[in-house]
PDB file of all heavy atoms in Angstrom:
ATOM      1  N   GLY A 182      -1.788 -14.664   5.560  1.00  0.00           N
ATOM      2  CA  GLY A 182      -3.239 -14.573   5.601  1.00  0.00           C
ATOM      3  C   GLY A 182      -3.870 -14.888   4.259  1.00  0.00           C
ATOM      4  O   GLY A 182      -3.181 -15.235   3.290  1.00  0.00           O
ATOM      5  N   ALA A 183      -5.198 -14.750   4.190  1.00  0.00           N
ATOM      6  CA  ALA A 183      -5.950 -15.149   2.997  1.00  0.00           C
ATOM      7  C   ALA A 183      -5.934 -14.066   1.928  1.00  0.00           C
ATOM      8  O   ALA A 183      -6.370 -14.300   0.806  1.00  0.00           O
ATOM      9  CB  ALA A 183      -7.399 -15.473   3.393  1.00  0.00           C
ATOM     10  N   ALA A 184      -5.432 -12.870   2.276  1.00  0.00           N
ATOM     11  CA  ALA A 184      -5.611 -11.740   1.358  1.00  0.00           C
ATOM     12  C   ALA A 184      -4.289 -11.103   0.969  1.00  0.00           C
ATOM     13  O   ALA A 184      -4.179  -9.894   0.872  1.00  0.00           O
ATOM     14  CB  ALA A 184      -6.522 -10.705   1.998  1.00  0.00           C
ATOM     15  N   THR A 185      -3.272 -11.921   0.704  1.00  0.00           N
ATOM     16  CA  THR A 185      -1.985 -11.352   0.307  1.00  0.00           C
ATOM     17  C   THR A 185      -2.014 -10.867  -1.137  1.00  0.00           C
ATOM     18  O   THR A 185      -1.130 -10.147  -1.569  1.00  0.00           O
ATOM     19  CB  THR A 185      -0.859 -12.384   0.460  1.00  0.00           C
ATOM     20  OG1 THR A 185      -1.193 -13.519  -0.337  1.00  0.00           O
ATOM     21  CG2 THR A 185      -0.724 -12.817   1.908  1.00  0.00           C
ATOM     22  N   ARG A 186      -3.019 -11.294  -1.881  1.00  0.00           N
ATOM     23  CA  ARG A 186      -3.180 -10.844  -3.256  1.00  0.00           C
ATOM     24  C   ARG A 186      -4.667 -10.783  -3.589  1.00  0.00           C
ATOM     25  O   ARG A 186      -5.247 -11.747  -4.103  1.00  0.00           O
ATOM     26  CB  ARG A 186      -2.449 -11.806  -4.200  1.00  0.00           C
ATOM     27  CG  ARG A 186      -2.282 -11.278  -5.604  1.00  0.00           C
ATOM     28  CD  ARG A 186      -1.369 -12.203  -6.420  1.00  0.00           C
ATOM     29  NE  ARG A 186      -1.238 -11.707  -7.773  1.00  0.00           N
ATOM     30  CZ  ARG A 186      -0.371 -10.741  -8.136  1.00  0.00           C
ATOM     31  NH1 ARG A 186       0.435 -10.224  -7.257  1.00  0.00           N
ATOM     32  NH2 ARG A 186      -0.323 -10.328  -9.378  1.00  0.00           N
ATOM     33  N   VAL A 187      -5.296  -9.666  -3.275  1.00  0.00           N
ATOM     34  CA  VAL A 187      -6.721  -9.479  -3.568  1.00  0.00           C
ATOM     35  C   VAL A 187      -6.842  -9.136  -5.049  1.00  0.00           C
ATOM     36  O   VAL A 187      -6.086  -8.312  -5.566  1.00  0.00           O
ATOM     37  CB  VAL A 187      -7.306  -8.349  -2.689  1.00  0.00           C
ATOM     38  CG1 VAL A 187      -8.757  -8.076  -3.056  1.00  0.00           C
ATOM     39  CG2 VAL A 187      -7.188  -8.710  -1.211  1.00  0.00           C
ATOM     40  N   MET A 188      -7.760  -9.799  -5.736  1.00  0.00           N
ATOM     41  CA  MET A 188      -7.871  -9.626  -7.178  1.00  0.00           C
ATOM     42  C   MET A 188      -9.005  -8.647  -7.535  1.00  0.00           C
ATOM     43  O   MET A 188      -9.891  -8.377  -6.728  1.00  0.00           O
ATOM     44  CB  MET A 188      -8.110 -10.986  -7.851  1.00  0.00           C
ATOM     45  CG  MET A 188      -7.088 -12.060  -7.462  1.00  0.00           C
ATOM     46  SD  MET A 188      -5.356 -11.561  -7.626  1.00  0.00           S
ATOM     47  CE  MET A 188      -5.122 -11.804  -9.386  1.00  0.00           C
ATOM     48  N   SER A 189      -8.952  -8.156  -8.768  1.00  0.00           N
ATOM     49  CA  SER A 189      -9.987  -7.254  -9.288  1.00  0.00           C
ATOM     50  C   SER A 189     -11.366  -7.911  -9.214  1.00  0.00           C
ATOM     51  O   SER A 189     -11.493  -9.113  -9.437  1.00  0.00           O
ATOM     52  CB  SER A 189      -9.648  -6.922 -10.738  1.00  0.00           C
ATOM     53  OG  SER A 189     -10.794  -6.509 -11.442  1.00  0.00           O
ATOM     54  N   LEU A 190     -12.398  -7.122  -8.928  1.00  0.00           N
ATOM     55  CA  LEU A 190     -13.764  -7.662  -8.907  1.00  0.00           C
ATOM     56  C   LEU A 190     -14.295  -7.897 -10.321  1.00  0.00           C
ATOM     57  O   LEU A 190     -15.322  -8.540 -10.506  1.00  0.00           O
ATOM     58  CB  LEU A 190     -14.700  -6.707  -8.162  1.00  0.00           C
ATOM     59  CG  LEU A 190     -14.376  -6.446  -6.684  1.00  0.00           C
ATOM     60  CD1 LEU A 190     -15.356  -5.445  -6.081  1.00  0.00           C
ATOM     61  CD2 LEU A 190     -14.387  -7.748  -5.875  1.00  0.00           C
ATOM     62  N   ARG A 191     -13.610  -7.353 -11.327  1.00  0.00           N
ATOM     63  CA  ARG A 191     -14.052  -7.505 -12.718  1.00  0.00           C
ATOM     64  C   ARG A 191     -13.282  -8.593 -13.448  1.00  0.00           C
ATOM     65  O   ARG A 191     -13.692  -9.006 -14.537  1.00  0.00           O
ATOM     66  CB  ARG A 191     -13.881  -6.176 -13.494  1.00  0.00           C
ATOM     67  CG  ARG A 191     -14.522  -4.951 -12.885  1.00  0.00           C
ATOM     68  CD  ARG A 191     -16.013  -5.105 -12.670  1.00  0.00           C
ATOM     69  NE  ARG A 191     -16.689  -5.611 -13.861  1.00  0.00           N
ATOM     70  CZ  ARG A 191     -17.894  -6.161 -13.856  1.00  0.00           C
ATOM     71  NH1 ARG A 191     -18.575  -6.308 -12.730  1.00  0.00           N
ATOM     72  NH2 ARG A 191     -18.419  -6.576 -14.975  1.00  0.00           N
ATOM     73  N   ASP A 192     -12.127  -9.019 -12.892  1.00  0.00           N
ATOM     74  CA  ASP A 192     -11.269  -9.984 -13.583  1.00  0.00           C
ATOM     75  C   ASP A 192     -10.387 -10.666 -12.537  1.00  0.00           C
ATOM     76  O   ASP A 192      -9.461 -10.055 -12.022  1.00  0.00           O
ATOM     77  CB  ASP A 192     -10.418  -9.235 -14.627  1.00  0.00           C
ATOM     78  CG  ASP A 192      -9.416 -10.156 -15.338  1.00  0.00           C
ATOM     79  OD1 ASP A 192      -9.283 -11.343 -14.939  1.00  0.00           O
ATOM     80  OD2 ASP A 192      -8.771  -9.676 -16.283  1.00  0.00           O
ATOM     81  N   GLY A 193     -10.708 -11.914 -12.238  1.00  0.00           N
ATOM     82  CA  GLY A 193     -10.034 -12.637 -11.161  1.00  0.00           C
ATOM     83  C   GLY A 193      -8.583 -12.968 -11.434  1.00  0.00           C
ATOM     84  O   GLY A 193      -7.894 -13.512 -10.575  1.00  0.00           O
ATOM     85  N   THR A 194      -8.087 -12.613 -12.625  1.00  0.00           N
ATOM     86  CA  THR A 194      -6.672 -12.867 -12.927  1.00  0.00           C
ATOM     87  C   THR A 194      -5.830 -11.602 -12.791  1.00  0.00           C
ATOM     88  O   THR A 194      -4.624 -11.635 -13.000  1.00  0.00           O
ATOM     89  CB  THR A 194      -6.486 -13.419 -14.355  1.00  0.00           C
ATOM     90  OG1 THR A 194      -6.883 -12.412 -15.292  1.00  0.00           O
ATOM     91  CG2 THR A 194      -7.334 -14.672 -14.581  1.00  0.00           C
ATOM     92  N   LYS A 195      -6.498 -10.478 -12.476  1.00  0.00           N
ATOM     93  CA  LYS A 195      -5.781  -9.201 -12.355  1.00  0.00           C
ATOM     94  C   LYS A 195      -5.809  -8.726 -10.915  1.00  0.00           C
ATOM     95  O   LYS A 195      -6.832  -8.841 -10.236  1.00  0.00           O
ATOM     96  CB  LYS A 195      -6.511  -8.139 -13.211  1.00  0.00           C
ATOM     97  CG  LYS A 195      -5.732  -7.683 -14.420  1.00  0.00           C
ATOM     98  CD  LYS A 195      -6.569  -6.797 -15.331  1.00  0.00           C
ATOM     99  CE  LYS A 195      -6.747  -5.388 -14.835  1.00  0.00           C
ATOM    100  NZ  LYS A 195      -7.625  -4.609 -15.759  1.00  0.00           N
ATOM    101  N   LYS A 196      -4.710  -8.149 -10.448  1.00  0.00           N
ATOM    102  CA  LYS A 196      -4.631  -7.666  -9.075  1.00  0.00           C
ATOM    103  C   LYS A 196      -5.562  -6.467  -8.872  1.00  0.00           C
ATOM    104  O   LYS A 196      -5.659  -5.618  -9.755  1.00  0.00           O
ATOM    105  CB  LYS A 196      -3.175  -7.252  -8.825  1.00  0.00           C
ATOM    106  CG  LYS A 196      -2.780  -7.076  -7.405  1.00  0.00           C
ATOM    107  CD  LYS A 196      -1.298  -6.702  -7.325  1.00  0.00           C
ATOM    108  CE  LYS A 196      -1.040  -5.350  -7.968  1.00  0.00           C
ATOM    109  NZ  LYS A 196       0.339  -4.859  -7.774  1.00  0.00           N
ATOM    110  N   MET A 197      -6.231  -6.411  -7.722  1.00  0.00           N
ATOM    111  CA  MET A 197      -6.989  -5.198  -7.402  1.00  0.00           C
ATOM    112  C   MET A 197      -5.980  -4.069  -7.207  1.00  0.00           C
ATOM    113  O   MET A 197      -4.979  -4.245  -6.516  1.00  0.00           O
ATOM    114  CB  MET A 197      -7.829  -5.391  -6.141  1.00  0.00           C
ATOM    115  CG  MET A 197      -8.725  -4.193  -5.822  1.00  0.00           C
ATOM    116  SD  MET A 197      -9.745  -4.389  -4.328  1.00  0.00           S
ATOM    117  CE  MET A 197     -11.008  -5.542  -4.863  1.00  0.00           C
ATOM    118  N   SER A 198      -6.272  -2.902  -7.802  1.00  0.00           N
ATOM    119  CA  SER A 198      -5.275  -1.831  -7.782  1.00  0.00           C
ATOM    120  C   SER A 198      -5.945  -0.461  -7.695  1.00  0.00           C
ATOM    121  O   SER A 198      -7.013  -0.237  -8.266  1.00  0.00           O
ATOM    122  CB  SER A 198      -4.423  -1.945  -9.049  1.00  0.00           C
ATOM    123  OG  SER A 198      -3.797  -0.720  -9.322  1.00  0.00           O
TER     124      SER A 198
END
Side-chain angles (χ1 to χ4, degrees):
T185 58
R186 193 172 179 83
V187 176
M188 308 309 279
S189 158
L190 298 178
R191 306 303 311 162
D192 176 353
T194 65
K195 248 172 77 182
K196 196 178 65 173
M197 185 180 286
S198 159

